[in-house]
């Protein structure tokens, strides 16, 4: 009796509300438009692990924080760009024109983010970059806010570490595109300014790299250490060749940014990962209560998959939720970016804030 009375009362309230705001009573009537987030990621192809991690993190954020924010139902529209820049751009245009998305997010590689920047600017739609990490990206549109990291920010500390740990001669090996060039430039500058010597700088192709001949060159140059940046997904091949070619046995130390030994592939790398020294903004082993809860929930929701640093950029969904709350559920791209650009919060990675001048994350490495 009580429950049927309750249901009919709710129905009356819903229909009055719907009549007031001009909505249909079929299904659930929302007082506000849904919040449509277009999440564009490489979900197939060589960088699919990045897409898988970020999508899982976005879904986990929604599961843990509810799918209604500022009174708006959150609609995540996930699209696979296969890692091809022209596809990313076309999908972004379609999402804006056809689906009327309020926010673009994802961007698994630098070229994908660069190709889409002008779309965000023209449509005045916020573009939350969760993975791509070349420093120049945020300068390409005032609507870009970065949730992940930049290569210069994670590279500088390992150069300092090398200088303090008796590493005098270093070879560098980076992938020949934006983030690799950022990493090489930052490492070489810091290391040589501190008195170190670069014996060789090698750049490997982004697509289908064969690391073996490059690592042979490094071995012949006999450095104290090899500094490596390769994008997430390519670390296993580098680590295997490093062992197989006898560089570790020759006493060459492997150092780098954390991309080369990311948490997702650590088990696949196995023993060769022991002794590698990297600097980074995230580790699944970070012992904060927030991170322990995050790792547990992530693994439970994803068949035991361990979250890596790409996931933590995806968990930057927080920026979108908080910007909606701050603006009272706004659709205005400029207001949303304004709300994001001064935000600070405790992420599973540690304390994070967005630098209002650059729209880049400030975080502990
Ligand atoms: C990038 O394309 O900017 C990128 C991709 C993978 C990484 C880091 C940076 O691990």
């Amino acid at each position: 009796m009580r429950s049927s009375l309750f249901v009919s009362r709710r129905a009356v309230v819903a229909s009055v509300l719907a009549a007031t705001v001009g909505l249909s009573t079929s299904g659930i009537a929302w007082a506000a438009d849904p919040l449509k987030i277009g999440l564009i990621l490489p979900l197939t192809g060589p960088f699919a692990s990045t897409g898988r991690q970020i999508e899982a993190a976005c879904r986990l954020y929604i599961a843990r924080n509810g799918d209604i924010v500022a009174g708006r139902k959150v609609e995540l529209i996930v699209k696979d760009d296969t890692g091809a820049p022209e596809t990313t751009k076309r999908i972004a245009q379609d999402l804006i024109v056809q689906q009327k998305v309020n926010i673009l997010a994802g961007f698994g590689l630098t070229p994908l983010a660069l190709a889409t920047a002008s779309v965000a600017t023209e449509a005045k739609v916020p573009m939350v970059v969760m993975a791509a990490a070349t420093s120049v990206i945020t300068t390409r549109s005032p609507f870009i806010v970065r949730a992940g990291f930049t290569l210069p920010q994670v590279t500088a500390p390992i150069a300092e570490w090398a200088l303090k740990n008796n590493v005098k001669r270093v070879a560098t090996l980076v992938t020949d595109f934006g983030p690799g060039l950022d990493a090489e430039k930052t490492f070489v500058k810091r290391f040589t300014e501190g008195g170190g010597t670069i014996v060789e700088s090698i750049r490997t192709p982004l697509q289908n790299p064969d690391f073996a001949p490059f690592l042979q060159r490094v071995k012949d140059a006999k450095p104290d250490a090899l500094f490596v940046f390769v994008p997430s997904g390519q670390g296993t091949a580098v680590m295997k060749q490093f062992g197989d070619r006898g560089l570790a046995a020759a006493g060459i130390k492997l150092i780098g940014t954390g991309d080369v030994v990311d948490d997702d592939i650590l088990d696949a790398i196995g023993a060769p990962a022991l002794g590698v020294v990297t600097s980074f903004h995230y580790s699944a082993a970070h012992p904060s209560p927030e991170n322990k809860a995050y790792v547990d929930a992530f693994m439970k929701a994803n068949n035991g998959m361990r979250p890596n640093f790409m996931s933590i950029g995806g968990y930057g969904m927080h920026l979108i939720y908080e910007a909606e709350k701050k603006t009272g559920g706004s659709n205005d791209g400029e207001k949303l970016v304004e709300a994001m650009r001064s935000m600070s919060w405790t992420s599973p990675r540690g304390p994070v804030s967005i630098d209002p001048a650059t729209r880049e994350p400030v975080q502990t490495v």
Side-chain angles (χ1 to χ4, degrees):
M1 231 357 235
R2 269 183 73 83
S3 68
S4 71
L5 181 65
F6 179 68
V7 168
S8 66
R9 269 228 199 131
R10 274 177 63 116
V12 171
V13 173
S15 63
V16 169
L17 182 70
T20 315
V21 296
L23 296 175
S24 121
T25 48
S26 66
I28 302 167
W30 298 102
D33 295 335
L35 174 67
K36 292 191 175 185
I37 304 169
L39 182 64
I40 316 175
L41 294 167
L43 290 165
T44 53
F47 301 100
S49 63
T50 295
R52 193 171 65 230
Q53 285 272 341
I54 292 178
E55 181 182 357
C58 291
R59 293 200 186 283
L60 180 62
Y61 191 91
I62 295 170
R64 292 178 90 194
N65 294 277
D67 64 354
I68 295 169
V69 63
R72 308 179 70 178
K73 173 99 169 105
V74 177
E75 254 183 51
L76 193 64
I77 306 170
V78 183
K79 298 282 178 191
D80 177 14
D81 62 16
T82 74
E86 62 284 3
T87 309
T88 320
K89 182 176 183 182
R90 181 182 45 74
I91 291 172
Q93 283 164 335
D94 284 356
L95 285 172
I96 288 169
V97 175
Q98 315 288 346
Q99 311 252 22
K100 312 263 185 283
V101 296
N102 307 110
I103 290 173
L104 293 170
F107 308 100
L109 293 161
T110 288
L112 315 180
L114 293 178
T116 313
S118 63
V119 178
T121 306
E122 278 159 34
K124 297 188 189 303
V125 167
M127 174 171 157
V128 178
V129 173
M130 295 172 160
T134 304
S135 49
V136 76
I137 290 172
T138 41
T139 68
R140 295 297 172 85
S141 168
F143 289 87
I144 294 179
V145 179
R146 183 141 28 202
F149 70 110
T150 72
L151 258 304
Q153 113 187 127
V154 296
T155 301
I158 193 67
E160 305 293 340
W161 181 90
L163 289 165
K164 286 187 194 133
N165 285 273
N166 211 27
V167 173
K168 301 199 170 1
R169 291 161 37 86
V170 171
T172 63
L173 183 150
V174 303
T175 304
D176 192 5
F177 77 133
L181 304 184
D182 261 4
E184 181 192 276
K185 189 171 155 201
T186 306
F187 187 89
V188 169
K189 183 167 189 298
R190 288 285 179 121
F191 190 63
T192 54
E193 277 175 2
T197 303
I198 300 293
V199 299
E200 178 119 40
S201 280
I202 294 170
R203 297 175 182 176
T204 57
L206 178 60
Q207 302 295 343
N208 308 311
D210 173 8
F211 296 108
F214 298 115
L215 289 172
Q216 188 59 48
R217 258 170 68 193
V218 171
K219 191 180 175 193
D220 295 343
K222 296 188 170 50
D224 298 325
L226 171 65
F227 168 84
V228 175
F229 164 81
V230 290
S232 186
Q234 292 188 351
T236 318
V238 176
M239 296 297 302
K240 184 173 180 331
Q241 288 296 330
F242 189 83
D244 289 356
R245 295 259 139 193
L247 280 83
I252 301 170
K253 196 158 188 57
L254 185 62
I255 61 176
T257 59
D259 309 71
V260 71
V261 283
D262 87 58
D263 289 287
D264 195 8
I265 58 173
L266 211 44
D267 294 347
I269 295 171
L274 296 172
V276 173
V277 180
T278 59
S279 60
F280 224 30
H281 61 298
Y282 182 67
S283 161
H286 178 53
S288 71
E290 291 83 10
N291 189 49
K292 283 184 179 155
Y294 174 72
V295 173
D296 278 356
F298 190 98
M299 290 180 78
K300 227 171 253 155
N302 295 285
N303 276 323
M305 175 166 73
R306 193 183 292 134
N308 72 3
F309 67 100
M310 289 300 187
S311 85
I312 223 64
Y315 212 64
M317 271 292 271
H318 185 79
L319 277 171
I320 299 173
Y321 266 54
E322 292 303 310
E324 282 296 322
K325 287 186 201 166
K326 266 198 189 175
T327 60
S330 179
N331 274 336
D332 183 321
E334 275 161 2
K335 283 193 185 141
L336 289 167
V337 169
E338 199 48 43
M340 290 180 197
R341 70 191 308 159
S342 54
M343 213 164 272
S344 61
W345 74 102
T346 304
S347 158
R349 71 189 108 165
V352 185
S353 59
I354 301 297
D355 180 338
T358 59
R359 289 163 276 111
E360 297 284 17
V362 178
Q363 55 198 336
T364 308
V365 174

